[in-house]
Amino acid sequence: MKRSEQYRQMAQDVANFRDAYKSVLVHMQPVRENMMNAVVAYQPKAGASGAVADASQKTSQLAGRAKRAQLQSGISRTFVVPSVGIPIDPITAWDHSLRDVEAMPPGQVVNTCNLVIGALEEKADRADKTDRTLVGRLALLAALPARVRTIVAEDHPSLGRIGFATGIFAQIVVAVASGLILAGATVGINVLWSKVAKSTPAPKSSPSIAPTTPPAASPTPNASLTTARN
Protein backbone atom coordinates (compact mmCIF):
# COMPACT_ATOMS: atom_id res chain seq x y z
CA MET A 1 0.00 0.00 0.00
CA LYS A 2 1.32 3.42 -0.93
CA ARG A 3 1.91 6.08 1.69
CA SER A 4 -0.93 8.22 0.37
CA GLU A 5 -3.34 5.30 0.68
CA GLN A 6 -2.18 4.65 4.24
CA TYR A 7 -2.78 8.27 5.24
CA ARG A 8 -6.24 8.26 3.68
CA GLN A 9 -7.09 5.03 5.47
CA MET A 10 -6.02 6.62 8.75
CA ALA A 11 -8.17 9.66 8.01
CA GLN A 12 -11.10 7.33 7.42
CA ASP A 13 -10.42 5.61 10.76
CA VAL A 14 -10.68 8.96 12.54
CA ALA A 15 -13.83 9.81 10.61
CA ASN A 16 -15.39 6.49 11.66
CA PHE A 17 -14.58 7.24 15.30
CA ARG A 18 -16.01 10.75 15.02
CA ASP A 19 -19.25 9.48 13.50
CA ALA A 20 -19.59 6.77 16.15
CA TYR A 21 -19.01 9.36 18.89
CA LYS A 22 -21.70 11.58 17.41
CA SER A 23 -24.08 8.62 17.34
CA VAL A 24 -23.60 8.30 21.10
CA LEU A 25 -24.63 11.93 21.54
CA VAL A 26 -27.76 11.35 19.47
CA HIS A 27 -29.08 8.97 22.15
CA MET A 28 -28.20 11.27 25.06
CA GLN A 29 -29.54 14.49 26.48
CA PRO A 30 -27.81 17.30 28.40
CA VAL A 31 -28.00 17.63 32.16
CA ARG A 32 -28.15 21.29 33.17
CA GLU A 33 -27.07 22.95 36.37
CA ASN A 34 -29.98 24.46 38.33
CA MET A 35 -28.28 27.74 39.22
CA MET A 36 -26.49 28.65 35.96
CA ASN A 37 -28.59 26.52 33.58
CA ALA A 38 -25.32 25.40 31.96
CA VAL A 39 -24.78 21.94 30.52
CA VAL A 40 -22.57 19.94 32.90
CA ALA A 41 -23.01 16.38 31.66
CA TYR A 42 -24.98 14.05 29.36
CA GLN A 43 -27.21 11.14 30.25
CA PRO A 44 -29.12 8.58 28.12
CA LYS A 45 -32.54 9.56 26.91
CA ALA A 46 -35.53 7.64 28.21
CA GLY A 47 -35.42 4.09 26.88
CA ALA A 48 -32.13 4.66 25.03
CA SER A 49 -29.76 3.00 27.49
CA GLY A 50 -29.27 -0.04 25.25
CA ALA A 51 -28.57 2.09 22.19
CA VAL A 52 -26.08 4.18 24.16
CA ALA A 53 -24.28 1.05 25.35
CA ASP A 54 -23.99 -0.33 21.80
CA ALA A 55 -22.82 3.00 20.38
CA SER A 56 -20.33 3.45 23.21
CA GLN A 57 -18.84 0.00 22.62
CA LYS A 58 -18.36 0.73 18.93
CA THR A 59 -16.84 4.13 19.69
CA SER A 60 -14.34 2.65 22.13
CA GLN A 61 -13.26 0.02 19.60
CA LEU A 62 -12.72 2.65 16.92
CA ALA A 63 -10.83 4.91 19.34
CA GLY A 64 -7.79 2.62 19.19
CA ARG A 65 -7.38 2.99 15.43
CA ALA A 66 -8.17 6.70 15.64
CA LYS A 67 -5.48 7.24 18.28
CA ARG A 68 -2.80 5.64 16.10
CA ALA A 69 -3.90 7.84 13.22
CA GLN A 70 -3.71 10.89 15.47
CA LEU A 71 -0.09 10.11 16.32
CA GLN A 72 0.76 9.85 12.63
CA SER A 73 -0.97 13.14 11.87
CA GLY A 74 1.24 15.16 14.21
CA ILE A 75 -1.80 16.81 15.82
CA SER A 76 -1.57 16.75 19.61
CA ARG A 77 -4.39 18.21 21.65
CA THR A 78 -5.28 17.65 25.30
CA PHE A 79 -7.77 19.10 27.75
CA VAL A 80 -7.19 19.70 31.45
CA VAL A 81 -9.56 18.84 34.27
CA PRO A 82 -9.81 22.11 36.24
CA SER A 83 -10.10 20.54 39.69
CA VAL A 84 -7.06 18.26 39.53
CA GLY A 85 -5.06 19.61 36.56
CA ILE A 86 -4.76 16.24 34.81
CA PRO A 87 -4.50 16.41 30.98
CA ILE A 88 -6.91 14.14 29.13
CA ASP A 89 -6.84 13.01 25.52
CA PRO A 90 -10.00 13.71 23.50
CA ILE A 91 -9.86 10.35 21.65
CA THR A 92 -8.86 7.76 24.22
CA ALA A 93 -10.82 9.56 26.98
CA TRP A 94 -13.79 10.52 24.81
CA ASP A 95 -16.32 9.32 27.42
CA HIS A 96 -15.03 11.91 29.90
CA SER A 97 -16.68 14.57 27.71
CA LEU A 98 -20.07 13.07 28.64
CA ARG A 99 -19.39 13.34 32.38
CA ASP A 100 -17.51 16.66 32.51
CA VAL A 101 -18.59 19.03 29.76
CA GLU A 102 -16.70 21.93 31.32
CA ALA A 103 -13.37 20.13 31.07
CA MET A 104 -13.87 18.68 27.60
CA PRO A 105 -16.91 19.82 25.59
CA PRO A 106 -18.21 17.25 23.07
CA GLY A 107 -17.94 19.81 20.29
CA GLN A 108 -14.20 20.06 20.90
CA VAL A 109 -13.85 16.30 20.56
CA VAL A 110 -15.47 16.51 17.12
CA ASN A 111 -13.28 19.49 16.17
CA THR A 112 -10.14 17.60 17.20
CA CYS A 113 -11.13 14.71 14.95
CA ASN A 114 -11.63 17.12 12.05
CA LEU A 115 -8.17 18.61 12.63
CA VAL A 116 -6.58 15.16 12.54
CA ILE A 117 -8.49 14.22 9.38
CA GLY A 118 -7.38 17.41 7.64
CA ALA A 119 -3.72 16.86 8.57
CA LEU A 120 -3.79 13.26 7.28
CA GLU A 121 -5.46 14.27 4.04
CA GLU A 122 -2.78 16.92 3.52
CA LYS A 123 -0.08 14.29 4.07
CA ALA A 124 -1.78 12.00 1.58
CA ASP A 125 -1.88 14.72 -1.08
CA ARG A 126 1.78 15.56 -0.48
CA ALA A 127 2.78 11.89 -0.68
CA ASP A 128 1.01 11.59 -4.03
CA LYS A 129 3.17 14.39 -5.43
CA THR A 130 6.54 13.41 -3.98
CA ASP A 131 6.60 9.60 -3.95
CA ARG A 132 6.60 9.43 -7.74
CA THR A 133 9.76 11.53 -8.06
CA LEU A 134 13.35 10.35 -7.71
CA VAL A 135 13.82 12.51 -4.63
CA GLY A 136 10.72 10.96 -3.07
CA ARG A 137 12.02 7.44 -3.67
CA LEU A 138 15.37 8.32 -2.13
CA ALA A 139 13.55 9.85 0.85
CA LEU A 140 11.63 6.60 1.32
CA LEU A 141 14.92 4.67 1.34
CA ALA A 142 16.42 7.11 3.86
CA ALA A 143 13.38 6.75 6.13
CA LEU A 144 13.45 2.94 5.99
CA PRO A 145 15.51 2.39 9.20
CA ALA A 146 13.19 4.57 11.29
CA ARG A 147 10.12 2.84 9.86
CA VAL A 148 11.61 -0.58 10.65
CA ARG A 149 12.28 0.40 14.26
CA THR A 150 8.78 1.86 14.61
CA ILE A 151 7.11 -1.29 13.29
CA VAL A 152 9.18 -3.55 15.52
CA ALA A 153 8.51 -1.38 18.60
CA GLU A 154 4.76 -1.35 17.93
CA ASP A 155 4.33 -5.05 17.22
CA HIS A 156 6.98 -6.42 19.59
CA PRO A 157 7.92 -3.97 22.37
CA SER A 158 10.34 -6.48 23.90
CA LEU A 159 12.38 -6.63 20.68
CA GLY A 160 13.56 -3.04 20.82
CA ARG A 161 17.24 -4.01 20.63
CA ILE A 162 16.63 -6.26 17.66
CA GLY A 163 14.73 -3.43 16.03
CA PHE A 164 17.69 -1.13 16.64
CA ALA A 165 20.08 -3.67 15.12
CA THR A 166 17.72 -4.12 12.19
CA GLY A 167 17.66 -0.37 11.76
CA ILE A 168 21.46 -0.28 11.59
CA PHE A 169 21.42 -3.06 9.00
CA ALA A 170 18.81 -1.13 7.03
CA GLN A 171 21.02 1.96 7.17
CA ILE A 172 23.87 -0.06 5.69
CA VAL A 173 21.56 -1.30 2.94
CA VAL A 174 20.46 2.26 2.25
CA ALA A 175 24.06 3.44 2.08
CA VAL A 176 24.98 0.65 -0.33
CA ALA A 177 21.93 1.35 -2.48
CA SER A 178 22.71 5.05 -2.54
CA GLY A 179 26.30 4.27 -3.51
CA LEU A 180 25.13 2.04 -6.33
CA ILE A 181 22.77 4.73 -7.57
CA LEU A 182 25.56 7.32 -7.47
CA ALA A 183 27.97 4.94 -9.19
CA GLY A 184 25.43 4.19 -11.89
CA ALA A 185 24.82 7.88 -12.44
CA THR A 186 28.58 8.51 -12.66
CA VAL A 187 29.05 5.72 -15.21
CA GLY A 188 26.17 7.05 -17.26
CA ILE A 189 27.66 10.55 -17.28
CA ASN A 190 31.06 9.19 -18.32
CA VAL A 191 29.55 7.17 -21.17
CA LEU A 192 27.55 10.15 -22.35
CA TRP A 193 30.60 12.39 -22.19
CA SER A 194 32.72 9.90 -24.17
CA LYS A 195 30.05 9.76 -26.88
CA VAL A 196 29.98 13.53 -27.07
CA ALA A 197 33.76 13.65 -27.26
CA LYS A 198 33.84 11.13 -30.12
CA SER A 199 31.17 12.92 -32.12
CA THR A 200 32.94 16.29 -31.84
CA PRO A 201 35.43 16.86 -34.75
CA ALA A 202 39.03 17.46 -33.77
CA PRO A 203 40.26 21.06 -34.27
CA LYS A 204 42.34 21.71 -37.41
CA SER A 205 46.03 22.29 -36.73
CA SER A 206 47.49 25.61 -37.88
CA PRO A 207 50.42 25.52 -40.40
CA SER A 208 53.77 25.41 -38.67
CA ILE A 209 56.34 28.11 -39.35
CA ALA A 210 59.95 26.94 -39.48
CA PRO A 211 62.25 29.08 -37.37
CA THR A 212 64.70 31.18 -39.40
CA THR A 213 68.41 30.73 -38.78
CA PRO A 214 70.31 34.00 -38.47
CA PRO A 215 73.26 34.40 -40.94
CA ALA A 216 76.72 33.63 -39.68
CA ALA A 217 78.60 36.66 -38.43
CA SER A 218 81.48 37.84 -40.66
CA PRO A 219 84.94 38.05 -39.05
CA THR A 220 85.76 41.38 -37.53
CA PRO A 221 88.39 43.58 -39.25
CA ASN A 222 90.83 43.24 -36.37
CA ALA A 223 90.69 39.46 -36.66
CA SER A 224 91.48 39.59 -40.42
CA LEU A 225 94.42 41.98 -39.89
CA THR A 226 95.98 39.75 -37.25
CA THR A 227 95.82 36.79 -39.54
CA ALA A 228 97.54 38.66 -42.38
CA ARG A 229 100.43 39.72 -40.14
CA ASN A 230 101.07 36.18 -39.07
Side-chain angles (χ1 to χ4, degrees):
M1 181 183 293
K2 297 188 297 185
R3 282 201 312 158
S4 59
E5 295 176 354
Q6 292 177 346
Y7 288 136
R8 290 193 174 92
Q9 180 59 54
M10 291 179 183
Q12 186 60 49
D13 292 338
V14 180
N16 293 339
F17 165 76
R18 177 200 60 193
D19 295 342
Y21 173 75
K22 292 168 69 175
S23 69
V24 174
L25 294 176
V26 169
H27 301 291
M28 304 193 77
Q29 60 186 1
V31 177
R32 297 185 180 275
E33 187 180 18
N34 294 330
M35 297 292 294
M36 303 295 296
N37 196 31
V39 177
V40 294
Y42 280 82
Q43 65 181 9
K45 295 178 180 178
S49 298
V52 170
D54 293 339
S56 297
Q57 180 181 0
K58 182 178 180 181
T59 303
S60 295
Q61 290 175 346
L62 294 173
R65 299 176 66 92
K67 181 58 183 179
R68 183 177 184 275
Q70 181 195 24
L71 295 175
Q72 293 295 321
S73 70
I75 300 296
S76 178
R77 195 180 190 190
T78 57
F79 298 86
V80 179
V81 180
S83 57
V84 294
I86 299 176
I88 51 178
D89 179 72
I91 293 180
T92 56
W94 64 269
D95 55 339
H96 189 86
S97 64
L98 306 178
R99 301 189 301 269
D100 190 353
V101 176
E102 182 183 359
M104 188 167 64
Q108 294 301 318
V109 177
V110 176
N111 290 341
T112 301
C113 293
N114 292 334
L115 284 173
V116 174
I117 292 171
L120 291 171
E121 289 177 346
E122 189 275 334
K123 282 194 170 188
D125 293 339
R126 184 152 40 94
D128 272 334
K129 296 177 181 178
T130 58
D131 287 357
R132 287 176 277 183
T133 63
L134 176 60
V135 175
R137 294 189 180 97
L138 291 177
L140 289 175
L141 284 176
L144 179 61
R147 295 179 67 185
V148 170
R149 288 195 295 268
T150 301
I151 293 173
V152 172
E154 287 183 353
D155 296 342
H156 306 283
S158 61
L159 300 180
R161 294 182 179 179
I162 297 178
F164 179 75
T166 307
I168 295 177
F169 175 74
Q171 287 178 345
I172 297 174
V173 173
V174 170
V176 172
S178 301
L180 292 176
I181 293 174
L182 180 60
T186 305
V187 172
I189 292 174
N190 291 335
V191 172
L192 181 62
W193 178 255
S194 62
K195 290 183 179 179
V196 172
K198 289 181 180 179
S199 61
T200 304
K204 297 181 180 180
S205 58
S206 58
S208 59
I209 301 175
T212 57
T213 305
S218 58
T220 60
N222 292 336
S224 301
L225 181 61
T226 304
T227 304
R229 287 179 180 177
N230 292 333

